[in-house]
Amino acid sequence: MSGLVVTGWGTAVPSRVVTNAELSATLDTSDEWIVERTGIKERRVGSTTSALAIEAGRAALDVAGLTGSDIDLVILATTTGDRIVPATSPTVQDALGISGGAMDLNAACSGFVYGLVTASGLLATGLSRILLIGAETLSKITDWTDRSNAILFGDGAGALVLEATEGPGDLLGWDLGSDGSATNILRCEHGSTIEMDGKEVFRRAVRVMVESSNLALERAGVSIDDIDLVVPHQANLRIIQAACQRLGVSEERAAVVIDRYGNTSSASIPLALVDSLESGRVSSGDLLLLTGFGAGMTWASAVLRWAR
Ligand code: COA
């Protein structure tokens, strides 16, 4: 059996910044309300999912010192592909010259951690290198006239290069979950925009993040006190704070980029992770807890040792 190591990382965001002040010009809201209730100050809007994924993927390949021809598979976690059929990952595969396969994965905001666990299984059974990308253009399924939704979402992408290694590797434990009876609390039908019961999503999100994190920690054989950095899905700063409190970890140990990017669904965990890497917050040997939740509902957590 082979384990997994992370050898490359990268991100991409559109250049257009939409501030709370800009939203307040057309919506009955304010910077103060948005910051206090969500922690979001601005978000990036524009581009396409494939273009953001390609840029983030290329950056991750560069860090790993690889080219597309070294990659056996690209997994693109997204809810906002360029089109319904074909998937968006073949566009990424072609642009980056990836010699292997390509698949999209939709587990909403849990998609990146679902992708990490999927990649781990495929690396254990024979693949050598996988490019895992989370990329979204939520702006195209956001109703910009609805103040309860428009303030939350943004566009962006993040990517990791994952390679097989002898032995157990650095993914120490994980948990995946789903509850399809909650489909109606957060959904987007074909040709429509996101509809959400924000309060109910909030309530469930904190509970599933905590339960799922604890399962992943237990399976990794570590405790929350061993975790150097929590990398949570960035949906609402208050959800992150409540989850940290219930997990028994200081919120100082959580990676937070929601102030700059809003909720970017599948892209939010890699955006937060790479931000922490690039700002020197992560050292070799650190233990990271990645945890996300999203529409479905789905949830996913992983304990990752940072070995670089
Ligand atoms: N600006 C000003 N007022 C707003 C507003 C806005 N952007 N959006 C809603 N309001 C109003 C509401 O109309 C309501 O007014 P009322 O009391 O007169 O009815 C009041 O603010 C309170 O609304 P409420 O929905 O109770 O606020 P909240 O504190 O629950 O915050 C969310 C709303 C959406 C920010 C919050 O519920 C949330 O983040 N939920 C989770 C959403 C999420 O994470 N989704 C993605 C999951 S992956």
Side-chain angles (χ1 to χ4, degrees):
M1 285 288 271
S2 305
L4 156 167
V5 285
V6 179
T7 61
W9 50 89
T11 60
V13 289
S15 54
R16 167 117 163 76
V17 177
V18 175
T19 63
N20 291 347
E22 186 174 347
L23 291 181
S24 306
T26 52
L27 293 171
D28 182 13
T29 188
S30 66
D31 177 53
E32 194 186 7
W33 194 96
I34 301 170
V35 171
E36 189 188 311
R37 300 292 181 112
T38 70
I40 299 167
K41 295 178 181 160
E42 59 189 40
R43 67 288 293 144
R44 301 298 183 101
V45 169
S47 193
T48 63
T49 294
S50 59
L52 293 169
I54 290 163
E55 191 183 334
R58 188 172 283 127
L61 289 173
D62 285 349
V63 170
L66 299 172
T67 65
S69 61
D70 299 313
I71 299 293
D72 299 321
L73 174 70
V74 57
I75 300 176
L76 175 60
T78 189
T79 59
T80 48
D82 289 0
R83 58 193 89 76
I84 295 171
V85 171
T88 305
S89 47
T91 307
V92 179
Q93 170 269 316
D94 182 48
L96 295 178
I98 288 168
S99 49
M103 62 185 272
D104 284 16
L105 187 160
N106 180 349
C109 307
S110 316
F112 196 80
V113 179
Y114 263 80
L116 182 67
V117 175
T118 303
S120 162
L122 291 166
L123 292 169
T125 54
L127 295 191
S128 297
R129 297 188 187 100
I130 293 176
L131 179 61
L132 171 63
I133 308 173
E136 301 281 3
T137 42
L138 292 175
S139 59
K140 70 188 178 199
I141 56 165
T142 298
D143 177 354
W144 291 97
T145 66
D146 175 357
R147 67 177 180 174
S148 57
N149 274 321
I151 60 163
L152 295 173
F153 301 111
D155 303 335
L160 295 179
V161 174
L162 308 169
E163 300 195 41
T165 187
E166 289 282 314
D170 294 332
L171 180 61
L172 306 185
W174 50 268
D175 174 62
L176 303 180
S178 171
D179 177 6
S181 72
T183 297
N184 283 338
I185 66 171
L186 178 53
R187 65 193 298 165
C188 178
E189 298 297 331
H190 286 302
S192 187
T193 51
I194 299 169
E195 292 169 35
M196 179 177 69
D197 177 347
K199 271 201 181 317
E200 184 61 13
V201 172
F202 194 118
R203 202 178 61 77
R204 289 175 181 248
V206 175
R207 179 164 52 81
V208 298
M209 272 170 102
V210 172
E211 287 174 3
S212 176
S213 293
N214 282 328
L215 280 171
L217 290 166
E218 191 184 318
R219 290 168 188 162
V222 300
S223 87
I224 190 68
D225 296 333
D226 300 317
I227 296 296
D228 298 286
L229 185 72
V230 181
V231 187
H233 170 48
Q234 313 277 309
N236 184 318
L237 184 59
R238 291 190 295 136
I239 292 178
I240 295 172
Q241 290 167 334
C244 284
Q245 193 190 15
R246 289 187 202 180
L247 276 168
V249 61
S250 157
E251 64 180 85
E252 312 290 307
R253 271 197 276 156
V256 173
V257 294
I258 191 169
D259 51 327
R260 283 174 276 156
Y261 302 132
N263 180 347
T264 56
S265 192
S266 307
S268 90
I269 286 179
L271 278 172
L273 173 60
V274 175
D275 183 77
S276 296
L277 297 175
E278 291 180 344
S279 61
R281 264 187 98 177
V282 183
S283 307
S284 184
D286 277 2
L287 289 188
L288 314 180
L289 170 64
L290 280 49
T291 181
F293 65 92
M297 287 189 79
T298 60
W299 53 89
S301 302
V303 177
L304 193 62
R305 180 174 44 219
W306 195 257
R308 296 280 294 187

